[in-house]
Amino acid sequence: MAIRNIVRVGDDVLAKECRPVEVFDNKLRQLLDDMQDTLYEANGAGLAAPQVGVLRQVCVIDVGDGLVELINPEIVHVEGEQSGAEGCLSLPDEWGMVSRPQRVTVKAQNRKGKWFETTGEDLFARCICHEVDHLHGIVFTDKASRMLTPEEIEQMQKEQEQQEQKGKRRKRRR
């Protein structure tokens, strides 16, 4: 396993359509393992293969409930709408307001090639959409209604830190 370099916006690879995975072998498993390590090292919620320079339909997501690997993902159902701040490991320190479905069902393959479906809500739904967009050459700035100012980003980070502190205090009381 290894930490891979994350491609930044401006690199042509992020604007290209990814090819489906057809061979489920050790090379794919290595890519998935490396993407997991890279995601955790970067403290992200999701990572798509083009973000590490690989034009394959592969992404990994972890919003705090454990890692989900999606190979050849296809969104098959969406419900509702949510709008909120969204960022990307390929655009560090940039955030924009993006509308996404509230609930998403995705059909994908696992690392062994077996098909499955999973449904996500809230942040997980947002991440599914964000990462699947990467596989089609779309970055969140293409969908953002507006980008956030540095002051808004600072305020958002303060609020997040406060929420994390509240969560830690609750855990200590239990």
Side-chain angles (χ1 to χ4, degrees):
M1 293 192 252
I3 306 298
R4 297 198 182 199
N5 290 326
I6 296 175
V7 174
R8 307 288 179 167
V9 164
D11 190 310
D12 290 344
V13 73
L14 292 175
K16 294 184 178 178
E17 184 79 23
C18 292
R19 295 183 302 277
V21 172
E22 296 174 355
V23 178
F24 294 78
D25 58 3
N26 286 334
K27 187 175 177 181
L28 174 65
R29 285 186 282 284
Q30 185 65 57
L31 172 63
L32 287 162
D33 291 344
D34 289 355
M35 287 176 64
Q36 175 183 343
D37 289 347
T38 304
L39 175 69
Y40 292 146
E41 177 70 20
N43 199 28
L47 184 69
Q51 291 181 274
V52 293
V54 178
L55 287 172
R56 288 286 184 257
Q57 291 184 11
V58 176
C59 56
V60 296
I61 298 171
D62 190 342
V63 295
D65 300 322
L67 188 77
V68 177
E69 297 174 339
L70 302 173
I71 302 165
N72 300 324
E74 177 187 341
I75 295 173
V76 295
H77 183 75
V78 298
E79 289 178 39
E81 186 176 336
Q82 61 175 311
S83 185
E86 195 165 307
C88 181
L89 295 175
S90 292
L91 286 101
D93 302 320
E94 292 200 35
W95 293 81
M97 295 302 292
V98 181
S99 290
R100 300 278 191 189
Q102 184 69 37
R103 182 178 173 95
V104 173
T105 300
V106 64
K107 176 182 173 185
Q109 290 172 280
N110 67 17
R111 65 173 51 213
K112 294 180 180 177
K114 183 177 178 185
W115 286 97
F116 68 96
E117 280 191 10
T118 189
T119 299
E121 296 181 351
D122 306 318
L123 180 58
F124 187 39
R126 178 177 294 281
C127 286
I128 291 169
C129 294
H130 181 108
E131 301 311 328
V132 169
D133 277 353
H134 272 302
L135 304 181
H136 299 289
I138 299 166
V139 294
F140 84 94
T141 55
D142 297 333
K143 294 190 169 193
S145 60
R146 70 179 183 89
M147 298 304 289
L148 298 179
T149 65
E151 294 79 19
E152 289 173 310
I153 294 168
E154 186 178 330
Q155 180 62 34
M156 184 179 70
Q157 290 169 337
K158 283 181 183 176
E159 289 170 4
Q160 184 177 0
E161 288 171 11
Q162 289 171 349
Q163 289 289 349
E164 289 171 3
Q165 289 300 323
K166 285 180 184 177
K168 288 178 183 176
R169 285 194 296 271
R170 279 191 212 118
K171 283 182 182 178
R172 284 194 297 250
R173 284 188 222 144
R174 290 182 186 166

